[in-house]
């Protein structure tokens, strides 16, 4: 899915940055080959960095308008939480912690409001290019066609509090109430 998303985004005029590496040497070589092809065809519009680099990841979050996370399995999902603090709008496959924290702007309003939050990104179901394209194209269209909406969405994701502050206070109140019984 990532390879498809890179080509799709570039064809739409987006810049793309990928940070990470593959455990499998054959897969790593595949990505190196893709990077060489991208550099030849798109020059500086795409950059693939094959490393674990925490400081660089924060610079990427801060400099990005959107972040694609097409995880098949995601028990928690810190990536989208970190990116949102920088105002980077998440595009995610609805699974695990990604589904718990990203509420699609077009179809998740009711679920978001039941959780006491505003919609905050773009999501897709399934593990196929068609589903991902649905979310990716909606996000890119929003960025190109409605800057006011996009800027408001970026502001929303920055203001949402996904810390443990409120759950911890709730837990403490329950604890003290139980202790007094």
């Amino acid at each position: 899915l990532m390879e498809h998303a890179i080509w799709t985004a570039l064809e739409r005029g987006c810049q793309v940055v990928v940070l990470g590496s593959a455990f499998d040497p054959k897969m790593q070589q595949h990505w190196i080959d893709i990077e060489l092809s991208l550099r030849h065809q798109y020059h500086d519009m795409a950059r693939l960095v094959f490393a674990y680099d925490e400081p660089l990841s924060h610079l990427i979050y801060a400099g990005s308008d959107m972040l694609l996370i097409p995880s098949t399995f995601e028990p928690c999902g810190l990536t989208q939480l970190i990116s949102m603090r920088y105002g980077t709008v998440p595009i995610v496959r609805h699974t695990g912690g990604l589904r718990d924290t990203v509420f699609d702007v077009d179809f998740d309003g009711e679920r978001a409001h039941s959780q006491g939050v505003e919609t905050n990104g773009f999501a897709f179901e399934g593990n196929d290019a068609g589903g991902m394209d649905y979310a990716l194209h909606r996000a890119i269209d929003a960025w190109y066609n409605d800057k006011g909406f996009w800027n408001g969405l970026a502001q929303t994701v920055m203001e949402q509090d996904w810390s443990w502050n409120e759950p911890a206070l709730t837990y403490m109140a329950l604890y003290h109430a139980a202790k007094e019984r």
Side-chain angles (χ1 to χ4, degrees), residues 105-168:
V105 299
D106 290 327
F107 63 79
D108 261 345
E110 188 176 317
R111 190 171 68 88
H113 293 280
S114 74
Q115 300 285 326
V117 298
E118 298 295 318
T119 58
N120 59 2
F122 298 86
F124 62 97
E125 301 289 340
N127 204 11
D128 60 282
M132 185 186 59
D133 280 348
Y134 171 67
L136 184 60
H137 285 298
R138 288 184 300 121
I140 293 170
D141 288 345
W143 188 89
Y144 274 125
N145 300 325
D146 194 344
K147 291 293 188 186
F149 168 77
W150 190 267
N151 292 337
L153 184 57
Q155 186 72 36
T156 295
V157 301
M158 281 191 284
E159 292 173 350
Q160 288 180 330
D161 180 8
W162 295 100
S163 73
W164 281 100
N165 294 340
E166 189 63 34

Side-chain angles (χ1 to χ4, degrees), residues 72-118:
T72 300
F73 173 75
E74 191 72 52
C76 176
L78 292 177
T79 301
Q80 82 284 3
L81 297 177
I82 296 167
S83 73
M84 290 192 294
R85 296 302 293 165
Y86 287 99
T88 304
V89 176
I91 306 168
V92 304
R93 179 177 173 272
H94 257 178
T95 186
L98 298 172
R99 187 177 193 288
D100 293 339
T101 56
V102 178
F103 299 86
D104 191 278
V105 299
D106 290 327
F107 63 79
D108 261 345
E110 188 176 317
R111 190 171 68 88
H113 293 280
S114 74
Q115 300 285 326
V117 298
E118 298 295 318

